[in-house]
Structure formats: structure tokens, C-alpha cells
């Protein structure tokens, strides 16, 4: 009797989705009941922006990856049911954004993610 291996997270799908700015491909990496907390210059740690469920997450991904900017996956690490990745973004005017995320995985999909963004100020 064999045991089925647990699904693993597809880091190459993450890279392709980010670097090709493919919101649909990225959405496929999230569980139906996933939640993302975003912390940045406008949404501080005590009041993060929270997106719950695929519909809310889809709206955010479509907005972010529909912008005129480049996205690069700088690093990604998967350790069991945990994921960490860093993304570098650049707007045409040179403004840079660095985002780092930590996430929990279930059945190879993201279920809980916290992301922190740092923007060039000036």
C-alpha cells in the first residue's frame, strides 16, 4: 500500500505569475479560503489591509499586476507547509517597491499570508 505524497507548492508557477504579471496564474496558488494581510506605508501593522477569499484576493492581484511596472521574484523558500518570498518591483519613473511575504500552505496552496511592502520615499 502506497501513500500519496502531499502536494507541494509550485515555486516556478509563482515566478512565472509574478514576472509575467499574470494575476490569474497567481490566484491559482491560493486556497479558496485564503487570507492575505498587507502592511505598507498606508496600512500599518495595527490596521493591515485584509483580503479574505479568492474574490477579494483576485481584485488585489488584478490591480497590482495590471499596473505599468516590472515585477521580479528575488527569492523564494519553501519549508514544509511554510513559504517565504521576496519580490522587487519598479515603476517606469524609477520608484521601487520591495515586498516580502510569509505564508502557510495547505495541500500545496497558500492559506494564510502576511506581506510587508517598502516603497521608495521622496
Amino acid at each position: 500500500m502506497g501513500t500519496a505524497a502531499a502536494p507541494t507548492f509550485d515555486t516556478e508557477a509563482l515566478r512565472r505569475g509574478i514576472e509575467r504579471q499574470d494575476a490569474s496564474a497567481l490566484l491559482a496558488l491560493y486556497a479558496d479560503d485564503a487570507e492575505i494581510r498587507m502592511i505598507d506605508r498606508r496600512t500599518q501593522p495595527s490596521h493591515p489591509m485584509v483580503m479574505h477569499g479568492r474574490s477579494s484576493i483576485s481584485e488585489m492581484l488584478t490591480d497590482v499586476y495590471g499596473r505599468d511596472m516590472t515585477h521580479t521574484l528575488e527569492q523564494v523558500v519553501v519549508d514544509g507547509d511554510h513559504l517565504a518570498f521576496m519580490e522587487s518591483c519598479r515603476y517606469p519613473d524609477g520608484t521601487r517597491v520591495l515586498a516580502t511575504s510569509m505564508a502557510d500552505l495547505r495541500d500545496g496552496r497558500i492559506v494564510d499570508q502576511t506581506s510587508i511592502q517598502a516603497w521608495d520615499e521622496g
Side-chain angles (χ1 to χ4, degrees):
M1 241 179 5
T3 57
T8 57
F9 184 78
D10 189 345
T11 57
E12 282 308 306
L14 178 67
R15 178 176 305 283
R16 285 188 308 272
I18 287 173
E19 294 183 356
R20 294 179 184 168
Q21 296 181 222
D22 186 340
S24 295
L26 290 170
L27 184 62
L29 299 173
Y30 290 86
D32 290 343
D33 60 345
E35 183 170 278
I36 298 176
R37 281 168 306 289
M38 183 69 67
I39 299 162
D40 62 21
R41 61 186 180 186
R42 291 172 293 186
T43 56
Q44 300 298 308
S46 59
H47 296 93
M49 175 174 38
V50 179
M51 292 144 286
H52 184 78
R54 290 173 62 91
S55 177
S56 180
I57 292 169
S58 176
E59 287 178 29
M60 182 271 299
L61 292 173
T62 299
D63 172 43
V64 170
Y65 292 97
R67 296 178 188 174
D68 182 17
M69 61 191 305
T70 60
H71 299 263
T72 305
L73 181 63
E74 298 288 344
Q75 293 182 313
V76 59
V77 176
V78 178
D79 184 8
D81 288 337
H82 303 285
L83 165 70
F85 63 98
M86 184 168 52
E87 178 180 355
S88 176
C89 310
R90 183 182 299 269
Y91 283 91
D93 69 0
T95 300
R96 292 194 60 204
V97 183
L98 188 64
T100 187
S101 300
M102 294 288 296
D104 294 323
L105 304 170
R106 180 181 67 226
D107 298 326
R109 290 190 172 179
I110 298 169
V111 291
D112 186 67
Q113 175 178 321
T114 299
S115 298
I116 300 172
Q117 297 185 107
W119 290 65
D120 278 344
E121 299 289 336

